Amino acid sequence: VEAVRTEIRQEYGDYKSEGGSAFFGAVFTQRCEFAPALRSQQQRLLHAQGSGNQQGQAAAYSCMGNLLCTVGDFKRAIEMHKAGLQLLGDNGPQFGNLGQAYFALGLHQKALECHQKYLELARDAPSACRARANIASAHLALGNTALALEISTRNLDEAAKVPNIREREWAMLRAHRVLGLCYCTQG
């Protein structure tokens, strides 16, 4: 056990460092221990702020936003994702995370706008598929079932073209999920 701890410290640093805080935040998240995970990410943020590391700060805000969404604190999650966007500017995944928080609050139009921005900024096919699935979900929530069905059908076609098999399966799963919701909505 001590050898593993030493190895972790050598690779990630002390848990009080930025890298260590990120690592332990991820470990606590995997164990569904959200309060210590959030504290670790707050510690990560402080280290990143102290060293002027804007990428590290944005990553900490993103992780805190995702954790807050997980525990249902969507308003604070939105604040965290917005803070990350202020540091990063146009960042597709951050817009996607912000859209998910808005969606959870029932602010579907705002969610749609965030996911459209995510699609514009998508750097690869899996990200584009994820954004389109979220766009279709937002349209469905807004009552635009026909449009959601059209987007989901197109998204399924695009998902089938994703080269990496694991990413392709996830993209197709998301597309099928929204398609199923569209068909259920139609009756």
Side-chain angles (χ1 to χ4, degrees):
V1 174
E2 190 57 40
V4 172
R5 287 183 182 158
T6 302
E7 184 179 323
I8 289 171
R9 283 191 191 104
Q10 287 173 344
E11 186 168 345
Y12 297 101
D14 188 289
Y15 76 95
K16 294 179 182 177
S17 69
E18 184 180 339
S21 297
F23 173 76
F24 285 104
V27 169
F28 286 129
T29 301
Q30 288 294 319
R31 295 180 59 179
C32 297
E33 296 178 23
F34 301 116
L38 190 58
R39 284 193 299 274
S40 290
Q41 294 301 335
Q42 290 167 334
Q43 187 70 33
R44 177 185 187 186
L45 176 63
L46 291 174
H47 286 293
Q49 288 171 331
S51 66
N53 178 354
Q54 288 192 324
Q55 289 284 352
Q57 291 173 58
Y61 280 125
S62 180
C63 289
M64 286 190 290
N66 291 338
L67 283 165
L68 290 165
C69 271
T70 300
V71 298
D73 193 345
F74 304 114
K75 290 181 181 179
R76 281 185 53 212
I78 288 169
E79 292 172 17
M80 295 296 118
H81 291 308
K82 284 182 174 180
L85 280 169
Q86 284 180 334
L87 289 165
L88 291 178
D90 285 345
N91 178 280
Q94 193 78 349
F95 274 107
N97 291 336
L98 180 58
Q100 293 296 80
Y102 279 132
F103 191 91
L105 271 179
L107 301 172
H108 301 121
Q109 185 60 44
K110 283 188 173 189
L112 177 61
E113 292 164 10
C114 289
H115 293 309
Q116 287 171 331
K117 187 70 174 172
Y118 181 20
L119 181 58
E120 288 173 27
L121 298 170
R123 295 182 185 168
D124 55 31
S127 296
C129 287
R130 192 168 24 260
R132 277 192 297 274
N134 292 336
I135 289 168
S137 292
H139 276 298
L140 188 60
L142 290 167
N144 305 325
T145 306
L147 183 54
L149 185 60
E150 177 187 327
I151 293 168
S152 295
T153 302
R154 187 172 1 127
N155 198 32
L156 184 58
D157 293 339
E158 293 300 316
K161 298 174 189 173
V162 172
N164 179 291
I165 190 166
R166 183 168 182 238
E167 291 175 341
R168 179 174 56 246
E169 287 175 352
W170 275 108
M172 291 181 74
L173 179 67
R174 284 185 186 95
H176 277 111
R177 180 186 58 81
V178 181
L179 274 171
L181 291 171
C182 290
Y183 288 125
C184 286
T185 302
Q186 287 182 331

